[in-house]
Amino acid sequence: MELRQLRHFLEIVDSASFCKAAEKLHITQPALSKSMRNLEDSLGVKVLDRLGSGVSPNAYGEVLYKYATLVTQELRRAVDEIDDMRGKGAGVVRVGAGVTILKYFLPWAIRSYISAEEGSSVHMRQGLRSRLLAMLRRGELDLVVASADPSREEEDLYKEILFEDKLTVVASKNHPMFGRAEALSLEDLSTYKWVLPDTTSEPEGDRIVTAFKRAQLTPPQIVVRTGSSIFMATLLRDTDYLSYLPQALIESDPEFSHLAPLNTESIWEKVHLGVYRRRKGVLLPPVQRFLKILRSVAAEAGPNAPERLESAHV
């Protein structure tokens, strides 16, 4: 098995076509087909299913794709580390996070890193937690910043808690429940429709549904699930829908200024924000320095203190 063959295989899977892959690799299609035959001969199994509409990996191919991606990413890291040792490294850090965290926490850490690291850069990927962790496992990301359950361990990932977050039920400022002095109970909220995050983005499953079940109440009616906090906020405008968001985001981002936290009884257990990295992965010097800044910004901010972030990192 040759590294060149693995790169050919990855491009074929990503392109879902021998023809398109050959164009991107700047080789002929017969040469690419021969490369794949040699790869399959060396493995003793077929890894690609040739279909009328294109090509896709079979069960063997799915396994190979996972490890081939990891191999190529680790080789890239080796080159990056050698360049860094020679003083020629670009200082690239690849970070994944959800849109909510991108809005109210990471900008301050990224500004600090870019300011401190001459010629450095951060490549951000936005997405749901489950998708980002899959990319981390494949070596496509160096770090993922996401909600984290301190009691849950990942066999292949190392998790470090950065700070405690605070979730709050939110609604439009025109909502009938807005401005109520007494704390609202779950029963008070049970008659309203909800717009909730996609459950794949939550480490403990769906928090609000779980809270209702614990209180022995019928789970609320969920009208929309979405991975976009901006889309959720738009849906809540001028409606009686409810949702939940980090309080720091509501207080610091003008895109959410039409929303307000409701005065509710305690609903959730403590929620934490953490940073994930691969246990067996190589942590390059730029990533180590970025991780140090993440810790520093989290320590300065403390839980639920957007105003301290603003004053410390303007």
Side-chain angles (χ1 to χ4, degrees), residues 185-210:
S185 67
L186 282 174
E187 191 170 3
D188 293 327
L189 306 177
S190 63
T191 59
Y192 294 97
K193 298 176 181 178
W194 290 72
V195 180
L196 295 180
D198 189 296
T199 52
T200 58
S201 67
E202 300 290 355
E204 306 89 359
D206 194 314
R207 290 187 175 96
I208 196 68
V209 172
T210 301

Side-chain angles (χ1 to χ4, degrees), residues 25 40 49 59 69 128 144 176 195 271 277 279 284 288 297:
L25 292 166
E40 291 177 328
D49 287 336
T69 301
L128 294 177
V144 169
V195 180
V271 180
R277 62 182 188 268
R279 288 186 182 274
L284 297 178
Q288 295 176 26
V297 172

